[in-house]
Amino acid sequence: MQPGYKRTNKQSSAKNVAARFVSELTVVALLCMALIVSACSAAGIDSGKPNLGSDNPGNLRDNTPVVLLAEQPGYMVAQDSSAIIDYSNSSQGYISAMTMTDGLFKVLIDAPDGTRYQFSLRSPNRFITIPLSAGNGEYSVGFFKNVSDNRYAPMFSVQISVNLVDQNLPFLYPNQYVDFEVNDRAVLLSQEITKGATSEIEAIDAIYLWCVMNLSYDYKKASEVQPGYLPDNDNTLDTLNGICFDYAVLCASMMRAQRLPTRLEIGFCGSEYHAWISVYTTEQGVIRREINFNPDSWTLLDPTIDSSGRTPLGLGPLIVDPKDYQPLLFY
């Protein structure tokens, strides 16, 4: 098995950008098949109920979903006649990009930590939300248009100095990769699942366990996934099947809707490229007997891997070891 994987509202020089994009996307399927060979085939298992409230008999946590809405006020923009980047709300952890004409476009971002991100635009007159995942610092943002095959030509660029009001904001807003809206099924489900939770830890436990116990790996999809694929939470909930990308995005969407900062992470698990999540909490606690949360820190969770260890009575031994994970991209 060769290593490989792809990586970030529905929604790294320009040279060879398309080739790199295709390579990363194709990898998703290869990696996830290798990782989930032991996954159960049945979907919709009702077992493995979280023990909500068992350790904290105090007041219930407010589980009303909150979906932060990206805005484009237009007072800080870079643009030409056919495209625009609105960075008015960069302090909130995101920028927005839109084309006004048909065609294939990309936004490339060189982050202050040296990481290069890319986002595709295929539909005109609709903003996509792009997270500023590397936090504070100087970002170089360029707009590119497809001119033939996999060749893209630069249109314009802008330097953005980012000073976030909250370092967790990039991982609370929906974006092109972790895409959800007010009253989406995933958002409403997050409220249902966390009913009875008395803490952040219990809310995380409830959402994570639901994903682990109810989603099954889709081998056919893994073998057919195409470059440019982005998860659709409604489709994942309809089928209760998906690849690692689907697992991570659904889980992240529900946690963000519950005001839990959650990173979609893409990188290496061992020698394979993979997708998983990390969750930020202000509390301390343990879920699934082995996952320890320290206050004011990020904790790695891999719903795809952990779903392979589920049993009719709950979860078997967890096989996630943070030392095996090397994140490269954050969304």
Side-chain angles (χ1 to χ4, degrees), residues 118-307:
Q118 61 179 304
F119 300 83
S120 296
L121 295 89
R122 297 180 176 84
S123 300
N125 302 314
R126 181 186 181 191
F127 276 105
I128 66 167
T129 304
I130 297 173
L132 299 171
S133 304
N136 296 335
E138 297 294 322
Y139 290 74
S140 178
V141 183
F143 225 115
F144 295 78
K145 181 176 182 177
N146 180 264
V147 291
S148 66
D149 298 326
N150 292 328
R151 295 177 54 216
Y152 283 76
M155 300 167 60
F156 62 91
S157 63
V158 61
Q159 296 291 126
I160 302 175
S161 182
V162 175
N163 185 19
L164 300 176
V165 297
D166 185 329
Q167 295 295 316
N168 290 328
L169 280 174
F171 310 109
L172 282 169
Y173 276 91
N175 60 53
Q176 189 183 49
Y177 278 61
V178 185
D179 188 11
F180 58 98
E181 299 179 356
V182 176
N183 294 324
D184 275 0
R185 289 166 59 193
V187 171
L188 300 178
L189 181 60
S190 77
Q191 183 175 23
E192 177 184 340
I193 291 172
T194 58
K195 182 179 180 180
T198 64
S199 66
E200 291 179 357
I201 301 298
E202 290 180 353
I204 293 169
D205 187 20
I207 294 171
Y208 186 62
L209 183 59
W210 189 95
C211 290
V212 167
M213 297 302 294
N214 286 278
L215 300 181
S216 291
Y217 191 71
D218 191 333
Y219 294 96
K220 185 175 185 294
K221 184 175 184 177
S223 67
E224 298 175 349
V225 65
Q226 297 296 309
Y229 170 74
L230 291 174
D232 183 316
N233 285 332
D234 282 345
N235 182 69
T236 304
L237 290 173
D238 283 339
T239 63
L240 293 179
N241 288 299
I243 56 177
C244 54
F245 200 9
D246 300 305
Y247 280 70
V249 167
L250 177 59
C251 203
S253 298
M254 290 198 288
M255 289 191 180
R256 290 187 189 187
Q258 286 297 314
R259 307 176 306 286
L260 301 165
T262 306
R263 296 189 306 221
L264 167 65
E265 301 187 1
I266 296 179
F268 284 95
C269 177
S271 62
E272 302 290 344
Y273 230 51
H274 188 41
W276 63 90
I277 63 171
S278 284
V279 186
Y280 183 90
T281 61
T282 60
E283 303 172 353
Q284 178 146 7
V286 177
I287 67 171
R288 305 301 100 210
R289 303 183 301 276
E290 296 182 31
I291 303 177
N292 182 62
F293 290 81
N294 293 315
D296 299 315
S297 64
W298 293 91
T299 300
L300 187 153
L301 299 172
D302 190 339
T304 315
I305 290 293
D306 283 344
S307 71

Side-chain angles (χ1 to χ4, degrees), residues 57-97:
N59 294 329
L60 295 180
R61 174 183 181 272
D62 181 5
N63 69 337
T64 304
V66 174
V67 178
L68 301 179
L69 301 178
E71 298 178 341
Q72 300 82 34
Y75 60 81
M76 296 180 70
V77 301
Q79 65 184 108
D80 69 4
S81 60
S82 59
I84 182 172
I85 295 171
D86 189 324
Y87 56 100
S88 306
N89 287 322
S90 61
S91 64
Q92 298 297 309
Y94 69 88
I95 62 175
S96 301

Side-chain angles (χ1 to χ4, degrees), residues 2-13:
Q2 296 180 351
Y5 176 83
K6 137 135 181 58
R7 231 178 63 99
T8 217
N9 234 340
K10 273 174 185 142
Q11 337 190 309
S12 267
S13 92

